[in-house]
Amino acid sequence: MKVTNILFVLGSFLFFLMISIPAQAQFDHEQIPIHDPVMIEDDGTYYAFGTGKGIAVWSSPNMKEWTAEKPVFEQAPEWSFDLVPDFDNVIWAPDIAEYNGTFYLYYSVSQFGRNNSAIGVATNETLNPDDPEFGWDDHGIVVQSVPGRDMWNAIDPNLAFDDNGTPWLTFGSFWMGLKIVKLKDNLTEVVEAPQEQEWHTIAARHRHWKVDERDAGDAANPELDYEKLYSEDLLEANKNMENGAVEAPFVFKKNGYYYLFVSMDRCCRGLNSSYKIKVGRSKDITGPYLDKSGEKLIHGGGTLIAKGNEDWAAVGHQAAYTFDGTDYLIFHGYDKSDEGKAKLIIRKIKWNEGWPDISL
């Protein structure tokens, strides 16, 4: 087996370990084994969703003590097998939102190191599993990326609305950056009419011009023969340079600005992860987003607000919310005291001259 494929298998195994959740488990805050967390409140109960088998779900009365709930999908969505024939139902990076009394759960189906990816959406009238109206209705694919056709990756969705109430979906990971696309009012389809559709790049990082279009930029695609594709020097550089390493966009409106939170560098490597959280802001939801120094996020900018420390090897894949009048940043960190497993982190956001700040 080639070295790159061995690394891919090991990385996939470590990632699966980090997102595995015991049935009916209960945990205190910052002990939830969760990856890519998002959160919402419904009728006095907080619900956290994250990457996992069928999408991991947790509930809490107070954002402190958490109970594992049944996954969203006991069986993988039927359409996922058309995309990935051997799909194992490990669904990535969900996003949860409520609109007009209906809950919309966006989610990602993909494979490590490839942009053979799609974002789907399911709806529910309640998040309480004991409610007789509870039940997820899957609407299938919202947007899809195709290797060799698209220089973007259809994962890491986030629903946002502009000041006119127009819905937008942000998404993306590596390749040529993060996108925002206009949605139809049903929130389940992208606007496709030629004169009405809108696509914009909202954040990006340098990508070496010799990197193959099927490669995210980290030499992790197990379908590629890297020894033949690149020279020895370029292969080594490809494994270590930033090469478009930005993902997990999340838009949060505050005081007349749209704030775009992003994660940069590498996730999913346990103690060797290098994830960090950066932010920019714009008066327009489609950008351009600028950091505190005026650098555009589409040119690699971003103001750093969180990175690894003595407790966390790295932190990232963030979401921002207002609960009971307080702003919070929700994200995961790789716990140094527990072999680099991903855990839930919740921090209050302080605002300093119009910019978010948290204490890690």
Side-chain angles (χ1 to χ4, degrees), residues 263-274:
S263 294
M264 291 193 178
D265 296 326
R266 306 289 167 78
C267 78
C268 316
R269 299 183 178 189
L271 294 174
N272 295 319
S273 301
S274 56

Side-chain angles (χ1 to χ4, degrees), residues 193-247:
Q195 301 303 317
E196 298 177 13
Q197 64 176 292
E198 283 193 54
W199 294 71
H200 303 270
T201 299
I202 53 176
R205 297 183 77 186
H206 170 76
R207 178 183 169 95
H208 195 283
W209 69 276
K210 289 185 178 181
V211 174
D212 188 272
E213 62 187 3
R214 298 162 295 167
D215 180 2
D218 56 0
N221 186 338
E223 296 174 350
L224 298 181
D225 188 339
Y226 285 101
E227 281 77 7
K228 290 184 179 179
L229 192 62
Y230 302 138
S231 67
E232 186 175 334
D233 289 345
L234 182 57
L235 176 59
E236 187 62 27
N238 194 18
K239 293 177 181 178
N240 296 292
M241 67 176 63
E242 66 182 38
N243 260 345
V246 58
E247 58 189 7

